[in-house]
Amino acid sequence: MIHDVIADKLKMSGMTQANLARLIETSPTQLGNYLKGQGSLTEKSLNKCFDILEINIERYRNIYQVAQNASETLKKKGCDFEEVIRMNKMELVRITGIEQIKQFVDVYSEEEYEDIIKYNIIDYQSTFPYFKTLVVYFMNTGEKITTKSNASTWTLLFGTLALSTVVAGPVGLLASGIRAGISAAIGAVGGVALSSILKEDRPLESFKELSRKIIKNF
């Protein structure tokens, strides 16, 4: 949860709760309750926490923006998502002209990807398969993302990868409330940022599952 991330970063900073509370313009009691998971902070106070403790929310916004830019360029060039699924990193850089794509971490097997998720040292959202999942997702949902278009996109993408069943299925994931559990799915800091950017919750477990299948079909 995000309060645990802030608590850990606070310990490493050497700063006291009282000092942080003063800097983010809240009371020590309010901050203390929040760090225990028993209260809340205003958006303004949270953003100040991120800045002071150097919690990099901006990174997730950048990942989203690069994926969106890449999807728009690929659509303009007439590429379809099946082609994109099979592209390696340098092919995607060459076609889109987006140099930032080089920064994503290559993953060459599903086992390696599973280890990245399991040990949580490298953020799996920083891997190339996950980035490519975002790109093909945005290529198929378009600018206006609705629950209907979202479910249709998952059905299309998973179907293309010849899957008969995926967990509870994309519609099942939406209905089951997994989409509401963003913090549990990808980590609280990333969850807050990505859900804010996308304007509504996403079935992020499906992003992980689709990433696995993209690796298999690469």
Side-chain angles (χ1 to χ4, degrees), residues 50 57 63 104 132 161 177:
F50 298 149
I57 289 293
I63 290 171
F104 291 97
K132 195 159 54 171
L161 293 172

Side-chain angles (χ1 to χ4, degrees), residues 20-200:
L20 180 59
R22 176 177 55 81
L23 292 171
I24 68 174
E25 300 177 11
T26 193
S27 70
T29 300
Q30 184 72 20
L31 176 60
N33 287 337
Y34 176 73
L35 295 179
K36 294 174 186 174
Q38 299 171 356
S40 61
L41 292 176
T42 65
E43 183 178 354
K44 180 180 178 181
S45 292
L46 274 175
N47 284 332
K48 285 188 175 184
C49 272
F50 298 149
D51 289 340
I52 292 166
L53 298 175
E54 298 182 344
I55 296 171
N56 194 351
I57 289 293
E58 193 61 30
R59 177 160 61 98
Y60 296 94
R61 293 192 178 100
N62 290 342
I63 290 171
Y64 164 82
Q65 192 60 61
V66 173
Q68 186 180 58
N69 292 345
S71 71
E72 290 171 356
T73 300
L74 290 163
K75 284 191 290 185
K76 287 177 182 176
K77 290 180 177 289
C79 299
D80 62 43
F81 71 88
E82 293 181 49
E83 293 177 77
V84 175
I85 284 172
R86 288 164 178 77
M87 287 181 188
N88 63 36
K89 186 163 63 177
M90 295 313 297
E91 286 173 331
L92 206 52
V93 171
R94 177 178 57 79
I95 292 170
T96 63
I98 300 174
E99 292 291 317
Q100 294 99 312
I101 294 172
K102 292 179 181 177
Q103 301 302 311
F104 291 97
V105 178
D106 275 316
V107 180
Y108 298 104
S109 70
E110 189 178 6
E111 290 75 19
E112 184 181 356
Y113 190 69
E114 291 292 343
D115 283 345
I116 287 172
I117 294 172
K118 177 181 177 181
Y119 296 116
N120 199 29
I121 293 173
I122 298 171
D123 185 349
Y124 75 82
Q125 285 184 296
S126 297
T127 65
F128 181 62
Y130 188 88
F131 170 73
K132 195 159 54 171
T133 303
L134 280 178
V135 172
V136 296
Y137 177 82
F138 291 131
M139 286 178 72
N140 285 279
T141 56
E143 290 296 319
K144 295 183 179 179
I145 302 173
T146 65
T147 299
K148 183 177 180 180
S149 71
N150 181 55
S152 297
T153 292
W154 287 124
T155 301
L156 176 65
L157 295 179
F158 282 124
T160 299
L161 293 172
L163 295 177
S164 57
T165 58
V166 180
V167 195
V171 177
L173 286 169
L174 285 166
S176 69
I178 290 179
R179 67 191 182 100
I182 285 180
S183 294
I186 64 169
V189 177
V192 169
L194 193 59
S195 64
S196 173
I197 291 163
L198 295 176
K199 306 302 182 186
E200 59 179 275

